[in-house]
Amino acid sequence: MPRLIDPDTGLSPTEVTLDYGAHSHALLDVEHDFPQGLTRQSFDPSSDQPSGVWRFAQLVDPELDPDQIVTLAEGNTPLYRSESLCAASLLPGLRIKHEGHNPTGSFKDRGMTVAVSRAIAGGAKALACASTGNTAASLAAYAAHAGYPAIVLLPEASTASSKLAQAIAYGARVLRVRGDFDCAMKIVAELAFRGDVALLNSANPFRIEGQKTIVFEMLQQLNWQAPDWIVFPAGNLGNCTAFGKALREALALGLIDSVPRLAAVQAEGAAPFAASFARGFDRLDTVHAETLATAIKIGAPVSFSRAVRSIRETRGEVLAVSDEEILVAKAEVDRAGLGAEPASCAAFAGAKKLALRGIIDPEETVVCVLTGHILKDPDTTLAYHEGRLGEASHANQSRIVEPDLSEIQRAVAEWDAPGRGNA
Ligand code: F0G
């Protein structure tokens, strides 16, 4: 059995069991006894294991019976190099780890395969989460695949349409809460505390174990040569927690020789972690969150204390970028042919900002993590290109035409005419 410990005291609370329902108010870590003799060669990418999470089972959950794993062949996401993004960021050593290439279109699937497997193995009857959208879509899919009910609470006013559609289509019981994510989170934690449901948010320590594989997989793709920086968007701070834990474990096991610095990027209107960092992490002041990057529209991040540890241990940075900077970064990421949802592109905006400020040196190697697929938020993408979000430096407007050959020839010719701005 994996042990659950309180990361602040290092103690194993005596009441802890694998039933997360009863312990949703405590932030616990999973502590493993890793098998002896693990090396870089222990995680063969050419094995017939179809999951990029379970390839690292020995680092994620060595004790779970393989028959109890609920998987959709998640992970194995690409690590890109893009000339245009290197140029736009002034970072020749930039790579892009695209987590949008997961079964439900976001990194959430990596944590969900582990946490859903563990929750069901532990006897959970109903699985629940609050979500800005992606966690709900992911939980809905994994629960459906396992034949279990999922209950998801989404903020009514600010959930991107594709994520809502996914949760509905996968068959979850979808509750659209008249309130924000933070209030939905409080309610679902209370439901879990009363034992009504198992909590599948990233407060669940097995979510963190699965999300560690973003880092393990990227290190493997880089031949275990750790980059100087890993830059990622931050909301509820699950990834920040997971990345720090993954690096701590990779170093302790001798899989890497140096530890990358973590850079967590928030949206300006939802930046309580960045504000706390600027004050030396004295405390967390929660905020009322506002940003068009709805995935990270979170004012009371649950994993704050665990994320502080990750930033401190890696000499990390936490910064905020404006919605305008996110939109420009998104246009650049999309036009590079990679594409990602707005929240993901906060990471690229953050990498650019850190390079401009001279905090990231042009000589350094950087992996920027894109967390969600371009198709996750089509409404924001269209609103940007149609000029409904203010000035759009990369606007690309479609045209409606009659089904007439000469009209279409004329339209195509106009496209390339000087001054049209669509080249
Ligand atoms: N990027 C995307 C696309 C997300 O959906 C989220 C979080 C984050 C970044 C932030 O990650 O919470 O680990 O700091 N989405 C959650 C959800 C809150 O409900 O889907 P984090």
Side-chain angles (χ1 to χ4, degrees):
M1 267 311 198
R3 288 183 306 284
L4 293 173
I5 58 154
D6 180 332
D8 291 332
T9 60
L11 297 176
S12 197
T14 47
E15 78 276 21
V16 164
T17 67
L18 288 180
D19 169 14
Y20 293 108
H23 303 289
S24 56
H25 286 238
L27 277 180
L28 302 172
D29 275 354
V30 178
E31 202 180 64
H32 301 290
D33 290 323
F34 292 120
Q36 292 287 307
L38 285 180
T39 67
R40 295 171 178 179
Q41 283 70 45
S42 305
F43 317 104
D44 181 5
S46 60
S47 73
D48 4 325
Q49 170 55 261
S51 164
V53 171
W54 294 106
R55 175 164 80 254
F56 298 99
Q58 291 162 305
L59 300 176
V60 166
D61 196 342
E63 283 138 328
L64 183 66
D65 177 349
D67 290 342
Q68 295 188 302
I69 291 176
V70 181
T71 175
L72 291 167
E74 49 289 315
N76 291 319
T77 59
L79 184 70
Y80 293 116
R81 187 185 147 79
S82 160
E83 294 304 331
S84 68
L85 296 184
C86 288
S89 60
L90 309 174
L91 292 170
L94 178 76
R95 295 284 184 286
I96 306 290
K97 177 75 174 151
H98 204 328
E99 287 295 304
H101 292 257
N102 268 296
T104 75
S106 84
F107 73 92
K108 304 287 180 179
D109 298 342
R110 290 188 186 260
M112 213 51 86
T113 181
V114 185
V116 166
S117 301
R118 269 291 170 188
I120 293 174
K125 295 286 175 283
L127 313 176
C129 70
S131 178
T132 56
N134 283 325
T135 301
S138 185
L139 172 58
Y142 282 81
H145 192 55
Y148 277 74
I151 300 159
V152 305
L153 277 66
L154 296 164
E156 194 248 345
S158 64
T159 305
S161 59
S162 293
K163 301 174 188 178
L164 174 63
Q166 277 184 291
I168 292 171
Y170 293 133
R173 296 161 189 182
V174 178
L175 296 166
R176 303 176 67 191
V177 181
R178 288 208 181 92
D180 59 14
F181 168 82
D182 299 304
C183 106
M185 185 68 238
K186 234 185 240 163
I187 294 169
V188 82
E190 196 54 44
L191 282 178
F193 188 67
R194 287 161 190 254
D196 298 347
V197 295
L199 185 68
L200 272 295
N201 281 95
S202 54
N204 180 323
F206 286 106
R207 281 274 311 277
I208 301 300
E209 293 307 292
Q211 286 169 215
K212 289 185 324 193
T213 63
I214 301 172
V215 167
F216 296 143
E217 193 176 277
M218 128 194 351
L219 292 170
Q220 186 172 48
Q221 285 167 313
L222 292 169
N223 238 338
W224 301 99
Q225 299 308 302
D228 296 308
W229 289 88
I230 300 174
V231 187
F232 54 96
N236 219 13
L237 304 181
N239 264 345
C240 192
T241 303
F243 292 7
K245 189 165 190 280
L247 292 170
R248 199 177 307 136
E249 292 172 356
L251 187 71
L253 289 165
L255 298 173
I256 50 174
D257 307 320
S258 62
V259 174
R261 298 176 72 180
L262 294 178
V265 189
Q266 300 209 284
E268 250 170 35
F273 191 45
S276 178
F277 173 78
R279 294 189 313 259
F281 286 137
D282 57 346
R283 61 180 189 278
L284 175 72
D285 288 339
T286 60
V287 300
H288 172 73
E290 269 314 330
T291 169
L292 59 73
T294 54
I296 51 173
K297 190 172 162 186
I298 296 173
V302 166
S303 290
F304 173 72
S305 55
R306 301 192 291 190
V308 168
R309 181 177 177 195
S310 296
I311 295 297
R312 285 201 167 129
E313 282 184 0
T314 64
R315 295 188 304 117
E317 287 283 331
V318 188
L319 70 159
V321 293
S322 68
D323 279 3
E324 291 71 29
E325 288 169 319
I326 291 173
L327 286 173
V328 171
K330 174 167 162 56
E332 290 166 343
V333 168
D334 293 351
R335 286 289 281 265
L338 306 185
E341 70 168 278
S344 306
C345 298
F348 183 58
K352 284 169 49 179
K353 204 169 214 174
L354 290 169
L356 268 183
R357 288 182 181 164
I359 296 173
I360 300 184
D361 189 274
E363 301 290 303
E364 292 185 301
T365 51
V366 181
V367 176
C368 185
V369 181
L370 298 179
T371 44
H373 200 274
I374 187 173
L375 294 176
K376 283 287 193 176
D377 189 355
D379 300 333
T380 302
T381 305
L382 285 175
Y384 171 81
H385 287 284
E386 289 166 2
R388 286 182 275 124
L389 298 177
E391 204 193 316
S393 51
H394 294 67
N396 181 21
Q397 290 185 18
S398 62
R399 292 178 63 169
I400 295 173
V401 292
E402 295 303 324
D404 172 83
L405 179 62
S406 53
E407 182 177 336
I408 288 175
Q409 282 175 321
R410 216 171 22 250
V412 171
E414 277 172 21
W415 218 285
D416 293 327
R420 177 75 174 72
N422 267 329

